[in-house]
Amino acid sequence: MGRPSRKDEILQAALACFSEHGVDATTIEMIRDRSGASIGSLYHHFGNRERIIGALYLAGIGQYAAMLDAGLEEGMGAEAVVRLFVTCYIDWVVAHPDWARFILHNRGRVEAGEVGEVLREANRQQGRRIAEMLAVHREAGAFRELPFELFHSVVIGPTQDFVRNWLAGRTRAQPGEYRELLAQIAWDSVRA
């Protein structure tokens, strides 16, 4: 694997600053100092602090989406797809807890900011890919009757709630301990 790009180094420095000081308390100067980048480089790559926040958010959800896409295979069974949604989410969060915390706490800010439309479009594209994969199983009768808008919440909701508690330090159990159980609960909740 090659050396991270300057842009990636700045984003990782920003994430470290946001994790240590909070998003609102972090200044562009703090990010500059942490990354070793010049102010000119920061502004060249991002333009302002809000765009750094947006870029970091998009990079995180993009990384998770790529991990999920890499696990999805043509002809995958309904149960395997549902389980993958849960296990991929847990695996990504465990590997990137600061990034996950950042994403969980900053969605509204990013949606309302300069990159909000980019985020909405990324979510629409990912949603379409998932919907196409699920449609085959839905048509085959593999899932119980649920409004499509509710399906994602039923599948990932319990896992997301547990992970939020773990990220906030409200549980000692590690998400990996319940990875397979949460995947089974998701499948049991939606199977026909």
Side-chain angles (χ1 to χ4, degrees):
M1 183 149 71
R3 185 179 184 276
S5 71
R6 188 54 158 155
K7 194 173 183 178
D8 290 336
E9 289 173 345
I10 293 168
L11 289 177
Q12 289 306 308
L15 179 59
C17 290
F18 296 150
S19 296
E20 288 175 26
H21 308 287
V23 174
D24 291 329
T26 297
T27 64
I28 200 90
E29 289 77 18
M30 293 163 89
I31 297 169
R32 179 201 64 212
D33 291 346
R34 184 71 166 250
S35 68
S38 68
I39 286 290
S41 181
L42 286 167
Y43 283 104
H44 167 73
H45 287 296
F46 301 103
N48 60 40
R49 192 176 76 94
E50 288 302 314
R51 287 189 193 148
I52 292 173
I53 292 167
L56 182 61
Y57 190 99
L58 291 170
I61 66 164
Q63 191 181 74
Y64 166 72
M67 185 178 181
L68 182 61
D69 287 346
L72 292 170
E73 299 172 9
E74 196 68 36
M76 199 173 206
E79 181 177 358
V81 171
V82 170
R83 285 177 170 278
L84 182 69
F85 291 154
V86 172
T87 58
C88 239
Y89 181 75
I90 289 172
D91 293 348
W92 188 85
V93 169
V94 168
H96 307 283
D98 288 339
W99 219 341
R101 237 179 250 103
F102 172 81
I103 288 170
L104 286 171
H105 295 148
N106 289 284
R107 181 179 180 159
R109 177 186 205 128
V110 173
E111 283 180 333
E114 294 180 46
V115 298
E117 187 50 40
V118 176
L119 171 60
R120 286 185 286 280
E121 182 55 30
N123 286 338
R124 281 190 291 268
Q125 287 178 11
Q126 183 71 2
R128 279 192 293 271
R129 284 193 299 272
I130 291 169
E132 288 169 8
M133 179 160 276
L134 292 175
V136 173
H137 301 301
R138 186 180 295 272
E139 290 165 10
F143 301 126
R144 67 188 301 174
E145 289 294 321
L146 283 172
F148 185 75
E149 297 81 16
L150 186 58
F151 188 88
H152 180 264
S153 296
V154 170
V155 168
I156 206 71
T159 301
Q160 198 167 48
D161 186 61
F162 179 77
V163 163
R164 283 178 196 256
N165 285 321
W166 177 70
L167 289 169
R170 290 189 291 263
T171 180
R172 290 184 189 171
Q174 297 294 309
E177 292 176 43
Y178 299 122
R179 183 179 184 268
E180 296 307 316
L181 177 59
L182 286 163
Q184 185 64 48
I185 289 168
W187 173 240
D188 290 343
S189 297
V190 296
R191 70 179 176 180

